[in-house]
Amino acid sequence: MRVNAKWMVGMVVVILLATVPLMLEGYAFRPLFSIAWYKLIHIVGGVLFIGNIVVTGVWMDMARRTNDPRVVSFATVMVDWLDLIFTGPGVFLILVSGIVLATPWGGVLGASWITAAVALFVFSGIVWVVFLLPSQRRLIRLAQEAVASGSALSREYHDLLGKWFLWGAAATLSPLGSLVLMITKPTLW
């Protein structure tokens, strides 16, 4: 397992350790900061998270257009590291602050718009863990093999990248839907 994958797994464990007890206590805790600070933390987490996932797709497309295995190899490795540096911390900040911010609304299951926004966020995470991360690992390996052999990027690379873009669009649009729900707060059911 790559070093950054180990860090990502560690961050997921920390996120679970930090958020599950809050949910299990039925929100019967006293927040450490004012609600304004939690809103700021939530917004910063959202900027880190959504900013990185949008830029990642653009960066991978720009690298693909060069058709240069060295550029593509560099881009795929950087996407992997930037997930660790920006996406992971963004998720952590969103989850921890979101749980506190949902408390006045009856918790995560209290208001329909919060429940739907969380479902979209979780869907994005599942797509990321199940499809995108493993695909990124294969894309890195295929790009590095092309660099090492001095050959062009393989058909397998391009096919996999196409699937990565498709799943990446799903993983990007769902948190954008979450963002819309968080801002508009509609009654859905």
Side-chain angles (χ1 to χ4, degrees):
M1 184 182 291
R2 295 170 56 102
V3 172
N4 51 347
K6 290 177 186 175
W7 275 97
M8 194 60 68
V9 168
M11 278 200 295
V12 168
V13 169
V14 168
I15 289 168
L16 289 174
L17 291 174
T19 57
V20 171
L22 295 176
M23 289 188 267
L24 294 177
E25 287 184 19
Y27 304 96
F29 66 94
R30 181 178 158 88
L32 298 174
F33 310 109
S34 71
I35 292 300
W37 279 105
Y38 283 103
K39 285 180 183 178
L40 177 63
I41 291 167
H42 203 66
I43 291 168
V44 169
V47 168
L48 289 172
F49 175 69
I50 291 175
N52 192 56
I53 62 176
V54 168
V55 170
T56 292
V58 172
W59 196 4
M60 287 292 282
D61 186 53
M62 299 306 276
R64 176 196 59 83
R65 289 174 187 228
T66 69
N67 211 26
D68 181 340
R70 293 171 300 159
V71 172
V72 170
S73 179
F74 176 77
T76 55
V77 169
M78 286 297 98
V79 163
D80 215 34
W81 277 105
L82 293 174
D83 275 348
L84 174 69
I85 296 167
F86 295 109
T87 305
V91 168
F92 178 77
L93 294 175
I94 289 168
L95 286 175
V96 172
S97 61
I99 289 170
V100 174
L101 293 171
T103 302
W105 296 88
V108 173
L109 301 176
S112 61
W113 60 271
I114 295 174
T115 304
V118 169
L120 288 170
F121 190 72
V122 168
F123 171 76
S124 177
I126 291 168
V127 168
W128 185 60
V129 169
V130 173
F131 298 104
L132 294 176
L133 283 178
S135 295
Q136 283 173 209
R137 299 298 188 282
R138 284 183 53 211
L139 289 169
I140 289 169
R141 183 180 46 79
L142 292 168
Q144 289 175 340
E145 287 172 1
V147 170
S149 67
S151 61
L153 294 164
S154 67
R155 184 80 223 146
E156 180 185 1
Y157 177 87
H158 290 290
D159 290 345
L160 182 58
L161 184 63
K163 292 174 187 171
W164 184 87
F165 278 125
L166 181 67
W167 285 110
T172 301
L173 292 174
S174 56
L176 290 174
S178 263
L179 178 63
V180 169
L181 291 171
M182 293 287 166
I183 293 169
T184 61
K185 298 175 178 47
T187 300
L188 301 173
W189 55 82

